[in-house]
Amino acid sequence: MNTTDQTSRPALHRHFDGDRLLTLACVGLPLLGLILFFAYPMVIVFLRSITVADSYGIGNYTEVLGSAGFWRATRHSLAMGGATTVLSVFLGFIIAHGLYRCAFRGKWLIRSVIVLPLLAPSLVQALGLIFLLGRNGVISRALGVEIEIYGFWGLLIANTLYALPQAVMIIGAALVLLDARTYEAAEVMGASPWRQFRDLTLPAARFGVLNAAFVCFTITITDFGNAAVIGGDYSVLATEIYSQVVGQRNFNMGAVVGIMLLLPTVISYSIERQAMKRQQAGQTTGQVAYQPSFAPLRDLSMAAVSLVICSAIVAVIGIVVYASFVKLWPYNMSLSFKHYNITLAGGYSSLWMTILVSLAAAVGGTIAVFMLGLGLRRLPQSLAQPIQILAAMPAAVPGMVLGLAYILTFNSTATPLYLLYGTAALIAIVNFYHYHTQGFLTVMTGFRQLPAALEEAAGSLGAGLGRTARDIVAPFIAPMLVSVFFFLFMRSMVTLSAVVFLTTPNLSVAAVTIMRLDDAGLTSQAAAFSTCVMAVVCVAVLSMKATLALMGRRSRSKGTV
């Protein structure tokens, strides 16, 4: 044995052990987080739902199922979910069809406007409708009529506007994948545009439509913000949970309603995942992008309808911004900054806290999903698959249920994790795990695009897992990581349902402050606070686009050198 062999073997052994330890850490730490901050709280909420006195039983379920209020809230939730789904998917299909299957100018404007509801807390749609159609609303006063906006119809419009961006994005993703050669063949065979739409477009987009329908249903049935502001007496399951926990301090009953709310969302999520798999399975490689030619009747009508819908979105959100500057709505419409002098609910402290919490959720969450994705690539499929399933499960849990699970788990001295209760860290953690699935799946998509040859080449040159992750993997999937970072930041800024149970008199977040200002009758101050939140999120969006553009430019310049 020569000297080289004697010196290289210990080095390889250390290198091998180092990789194993790093793989263990990459998988173990995020997995521990999933168990402690997702699986464990969900077990606790289930146990609390069957806790009767000092034992377990189904007494709570019997009591809830015998309650007229629960069945009324269930009927309302299902009716609202169904109506919103039909309306959102219908309007979303029109806009998506206009964007991807028609030829007209101004699509950038529609794309810019359609995402606006995602940049604001869900209750902003409700606030805007009150300023427009409420008793003192602009339209109500202009027409001289009193419109009853609180209740079913107001909530239906608010939920539709909130769910519409999701429907457009999902259906648009299905429409953009349709192969242009199919349409060319249909034209050669003399098929009319209506025949092409009926026999080609609709069947090919069916899984996208189905997927959008279940996403819209889930968003609607679990939303709390709009229902709390404009729902009025029209109770839904999300407000029923809030009433049981905050109003009546009945945590066990709240847990029962939370478990019941899980059922439709889990079923909906499961069907949506199957629809997405079938849509992906139906995709073929080498597709030719469809370039629509201008058809006046079709394109102008689609553009007109899309612009009308976008006008409604701009009106609802724009009126909130405008109202925040009005001195005394609607009696003195002169402009003023007086409502930005927030004196209630801790002033702007909750906004700064929300920015801090969102940054923590974004940084920690991006690192966690990157580590998990990196580690899973080195695990056998039999071990990786159960972890992937667990990592994808948070998307099926509504924010209200997750927040309720957290308060039941971490507000108990029976666990050392009690130390986290009432801290900003716990709010950052719940925000991350609320949106864990989207971040994880985005990063995994980036990992799937990473050529295995790159990692093999790095390994052949003696690079360990750590160096490969730093020099090869992270730069390759950097755009995905940037997207995940800003996604987690923006959703943490505007989320309400998951954190509404975790705020304390000394620690609040922006969305909860907006709700408290509105509850106190300070609607203009709520509008001012909402405007500040939207401004922060808009800055984040612009930062993300600038960062991605800069990265793309650098990548292209490297490729041309």
Side-chain angles (χ1 to χ4, degrees):
M1 183 179 295
N2 58 34
T3 309
T4 306
D5 290 341
Q6 289 174 343
T7 55
S8 63
R9 279 190 180 178
L12 286 173
H13 183 66
R14 286 196 302 272
H15 186 70
F16 175 70
D17 286 343
D19 281 0
R20 287 187 63 184
L21 284 174
L22 189 55
T23 301
L24 186 62
C26 285
V27 176
L29 292 177
L31 181 60
L32 181 63
L34 275 168
I35 293 171
L36 286 181
F37 298 109
F38 174 67
Y40 177 53
M42 294 311 297
V43 171
I44 293 295
V45 77
F46 173 71
L47 291 177
R48 287 296 295 267
S49 74
I50 59 173
T51 298
V52 183
D54 294 330
S55 62
Y56 295 119
I58 60 170
N60 294 330
Y61 284 87
T62 306
E63 185 175 343
V64 167
L65 292 175
S67 162
F70 169 76
W71 287 111
R72 183 173 62 251
T74 302
R75 285 196 305 274
H76 288 175
S77 290
L78 294 176
M80 181 56 60
T84 303
T85 298
V86 171
L87 196 54
S88 301
V89 171
F90 176 69
L91 298 178
F93 189 92
I94 291 175
I95 296 177
H97 191 270
L99 288 176
Y100 297 104
R101 313 302 294 177
C102 298
F104 58 81
R105 294 176 183 270
K107 289 183 179 179
W108 64 271
L109 180 62
I110 295 173
R111 288 194 177 98
S112 302
V113 170
I114 203 68
V115 299
L116 287 179
L118 297 178
L119 309 184
S122 66
L123 48 77
V124 166
Q125 284 77 34
L127 274 180
L129 287 174
I130 292 171
F131 283 120
L132 283 173
L133 301 171
R135 184 173 301 169
N136 291 319
V138 174
I139 296 177
S140 302
R141 291 174 70 86
L143 298 178
V145 296
E146 189 168 320
I147 302 172
E148 183 52 57
I149 193 63
Y150 295 94
F152 177 84
W153 293 106
L155 191 53
L156 174 63
I157 299 172
N159 283 333
T160 300
L161 294 179
Y162 186 57
L164 191 58
Q166 313 272 357
V168 172
M169 286 189 285
I170 295 171
I171 297 172
L175 290 176
V176 80
L177 293 172
L178 302 185
D179 199 328
R181 291 170 297 188
T182 309
Y183 289 86
E184 291 171 1
E187 285 184 7
V188 170
M189 296 175 67
S192 66
W194 166 247
R195 184 82 184 270
Q196 293 179 30
F197 176 78
R198 189 191 66 186
D199 294 343
L200 296 178
T201 305
L202 281 181
R206 65 187 186 282
F207 291 122
V209 171
L210 189 62
N211 192 10
F214 286 112
V215 168
C216 291
F217 182 82
T218 304
I219 289 173
T220 303
I221 203 170
T222 60
D223 177 67
F224 172 71
N226 283 323
V229 172
I230 206 170
D233 294 332
Y234 194 82
S235 63
V236 293
L237 285 173
T239 53
E240 186 69 15
I241 296 175
Y242 188 78
S243 172
Q244 290 287 347
V245 174
V246 176
Q248 304 178 34
R249 311 295 296 175
N250 195 338
F251 291 95
N252 290 356
M253 289 301 170
V256 172
V257 180
I259 293 294
M260 302 299 281
L261 182 58
L262 266 179
L263 297 178
T265 54
V266 168
I267 293 170
S268 177
Y269 177 74
S270 302
I271 298 174
E272 179 250 332
R273 297 304 301 171
Q274 292 300 318
M276 183 174 287
K277 285 180 183 176
R278 293 198 176 197
Q279 180 181 332
Q280 291 170 346
Q283 297 171 7
T284 59
T285 56
Q287 289 177 320
V288 178
Y290 179 77
Q291 297 295 332
S293 55
F294 181 66
L297 181 61
R298 179 199 65 186
D299 295 351
L300 292 178
S301 58
M302 283 289 178
V305 175
S306 299
L307 289 174
V308 168
I309 298 170
C310 288
S311 300
I313 294 174
V314 171
V316 168
I317 294 180
I319 198 70
V320 173
V321 178
Y322 175 66
S324 70
F325 292 105
V326 170
K327 188 171 286 185
L328 183 62
W329 185 279
Y331 307 106
N332 184 351
M333 302 296 274
S334 57
L335 301 182
S336 166
F337 285 97
K338 62 177 284 191
H339 301 301
Y340 284 84
N341 182 24
I342 308 290
T343 56
L344 194 70
Y348 283 105
S349 61
S350 63
L351 179 62
W352 305 123
M353 179 56 66
T354 307
I355 294 174
L356 181 66
V357 163
S358 301
L359 283 173
V363 172
T366 305
I367 294 173
V369 293
F370 174 72
M371 289 176 63
L372 186 58
L374 185 69
L376 287 177
R377 286 173 65 85
R378 282 155 179 80
L379 285 187
Q381 189 63 20
S382 57
L383 289 177
Q385 192 164 11
I387 299 174
Q388 287 179 333
I389 293 173
L390 178 63
M393 286 179 68
V397 178
M400 289 292 290
V401 179
L402 191 61
L404 175 63
Y406 268 51
I407 195 172
L408 294 177
T409 304
F410 299 108
N411 192 21
S412 166
T413 54
T415 167
L417 297 173
Y418 172 75
L419 294 174
L420 286 171
Y421 184 72
T423 66
L426 189 63
I427 296 179
I429 290 170
V430 76
N431 281 341
F432 167 53
Y433 284 102
H434 186 196
Y435 298 103
H436 182 277
T437 304
Q438 293 88 337
F440 172 72
L441 293 178
T442 302
V443 169
M444 290 303 291
T445 301
F447 273 111
R448 277 194 287 271
Q449 295 171 355
L450 176 66
L454 283 178
E455 290 182 276
E456 293 170 3
S460 302
L461 294 172
L465 176 59
R467 189 165 182 185
T468 303
R470 186 193 67 189
D471 296 340
I472 303 294
V473 179
F476 186 86
I477 66 167
M480 302 289 185
L481 296 177
V482 169
S483 300
V484 169
F485 172 86
F486 282 104
F487 170 77
L488 291 174
F489 177 82
M490 289 186 285
R491 297 316 298 166
S492 297
M493 282 295 303
V494 301
T495 189
L496 171 64
S497 58
V499 298
V500 69
F501 294 129
L502 300 179
T503 56
T504 65
N506 298 322
L507 177 67
S508 186
V509 293
V512 176
T513 298
I514 296 170
M515 188 181 74
R516 287 175 180 167
L517 289 170
D518 182 67
D519 285 344
L522 302 172
T523 313
S524 294
Q525 287 200 14
F529 212 97
S530 302
T531 303
C532 294
V533 173
M534 289 188 283
V536 173
V537 178
C538 285
V539 170
V541 171
L542 294 176
S543 301
M544 180 182 70
K545 288 185 175 295
T547 306
L548 292 174
L550 184 62
M551 293 172 69
R553 191 179 305 165
R554 285 184 177 175
S555 180
R556 286 193 295 273
S557 91
K558 284 181 182 178
T560 54
V561 171

